[in-house]
Amino acid sequence: MKIIVIGDSILKGAVTGTDSGHLFDIIEESSLNLAQKTLGFEMDNQSVFGNVISKGQRKLNKMLERGETADFCIVEFCGNDSDYDWALVSENPTATHQQRTMLADYLRIYEEMVNALREHKITPVIMISPALCAERWFNHITNGHNRENILSFLGGDLEKPFKNQKEYDDALVTLAAKLNVQTVNMREPMLESGHFDDLMCKDGIHPNEAGYRFMADIWIKEIPSLRSEF
């Protein structure tokens, strides 16, 4: 079995807040690397830190044009797309600020990617991203910026980014059902684990090593049961 992966830092295996002094580190024991060691599938992981879905679509299209093929393609986008440019928000909280990818565009591009994969006889699989830890994420996005301005933009609601991300995740679940695309949901199992905070980095949006091991267990369970469409 060969799997192509198109996503962002979460499927790349990024962790933050380490002692390395780097903005982030990519760990060897990412969720899919761990699953690969157990299940033995071939993988081409094209995930990139900071990726948004429009960039992922361009990369996928180039791969398909080159004749790249696989049995499955896992697609994972949400956190960066549903986010804002917090530096701009901090400077002018009363201005109109748009999310990096508007929801309608996000869903349209997802559908286009699904259709492109199917046209090339590759079975699409959508991963529903982990939730974010609202207070940790707020502390992260306000670090070095005007905390009160960002809080004002959020209407005084620290959980607004969590709710925005959930809106995208929920809409994606609905779209996947409409398109009859198989999904692997990381959000709900992690939230329902009873120790969600312990699975996340200090920034509140990236899983930590324990989080990636948790995700790996889900992959190990779900990947063998994926159904090839071709």
Side-chain angles (χ1 to χ4, degrees):
M1 180 194 297
K2 180 180 178 181
I3 300 175
I4 293 172
V5 185
I6 304 286
D8 58 27
S9 54
I10 290 177
L11 284 190
K12 193 66 176 177
V15 294
T16 60
T18 67
D19 296 329
S20 70
H22 301 145
L23 175 64
F24 64 93
D25 294 294
I26 303 298
I27 62 172
E28 178 63 29
E29 294 189 335
S30 68
S31 65
L32 281 170
N33 283 354
L34 290 170
Q36 183 185 36
K37 288 177 183 177
T38 298
L39 299 176
F41 54 83
E42 181 184 351
M43 180 170 62
D44 181 4
N45 192 338
Q46 295 290 324
S47 301
V48 178
F49 189 95
N51 221 3
V52 292
I53 194 169
S54 56
K55 291 181 179 179
Q57 182 184 39
R58 288 195 292 272
K59 174 164 281 193
L60 176 64
N61 287 342
K62 288 178 181 177
M63 293 177 69
L64 295 176
E65 288 167 6
R66 291 197 304 265
E68 298 273 353
T69 188
D71 300 288
F72 298 93
C73 180
I74 297 170
V75 186
E76 173 266 326
F77 292 96
C78 182
N80 296 313
D81 295 277
S82 63
D83 203 22
Y84 292 89
D85 186 326
W86 297 110
L88 293 180
V89 171
S90 175
E91 291 172 4
N92 190 353
T94 61
T96 300
H97 297 281
Q98 292 187 337
Q99 287 154 297
R100 295 185 189 276
T101 308
M102 298 300 289
L103 181 59
D105 292 329
Y106 173 78
L107 296 174
R108 172 183 57 79
I109 295 171
Y110 244 119
E111 184 166 357
E112 289 172 358
M113 293 176 75
V114 165
N115 291 338
L117 287 165
R118 285 172 166 166
E119 286 170 8
H120 287 79
K121 307 271 188 251
I122 300 173
T123 300
V125 178
I126 291 175
M127 188 191 104
I128 307 302
S129 301
L132 56 84
C133 299
E135 186 172 355
R136 289 186 193 178
W137 181 237
F138 178 75
N139 290 334
H140 178 74
I141 63 177
T142 56
N143 184 30
H145 297 305
N146 189 310
R147 186 181 180 92
E148 293 306 316
N149 280 358
I150 292 177
L151 184 60
S152 173
F153 173 76
L154 295 174
D157 184 3
L158 295 181
E159 294 198 353
K160 188 73 188 318
F162 173 93
K163 295 171 183 175
N164 288 341
Q165 187 198 46
K166 185 178 186 302
E167 179 185 17
Y168 278 57
D169 277 340
D170 289 348
L172 183 55
V173 169
T174 299
L175 177 69
K178 172 189 167 185
L179 300 177
N180 195 27
V181 177
Q182 298 167 92
T183 62
V184 176
N185 193 325
M186 297 294 177
R187 181 186 183 92
E188 298 308 322
M190 292 178 77
L191 283 175
E192 294 169 0
S193 68
H195 54 98
F196 176 60
D197 288 357
D198 295 335
L199 302 176
M200 304 298 288
C201 288
K202 187 178 178 181
D203 67 3
I205 200 167
H206 290 95
N208 56 25
E209 289 87 346
Y212 286 127
R213 289 195 297 271
F214 187 98
M215 291 173 62
D217 288 341
I218 295 175
W219 287 125
I220 290 166
K221 175 185 176 184
E222 296 293 336
I223 286 176
S225 64
L226 291 176
R227 149 188 105 256
S228 175
E229 298 179 7
F230 305 101

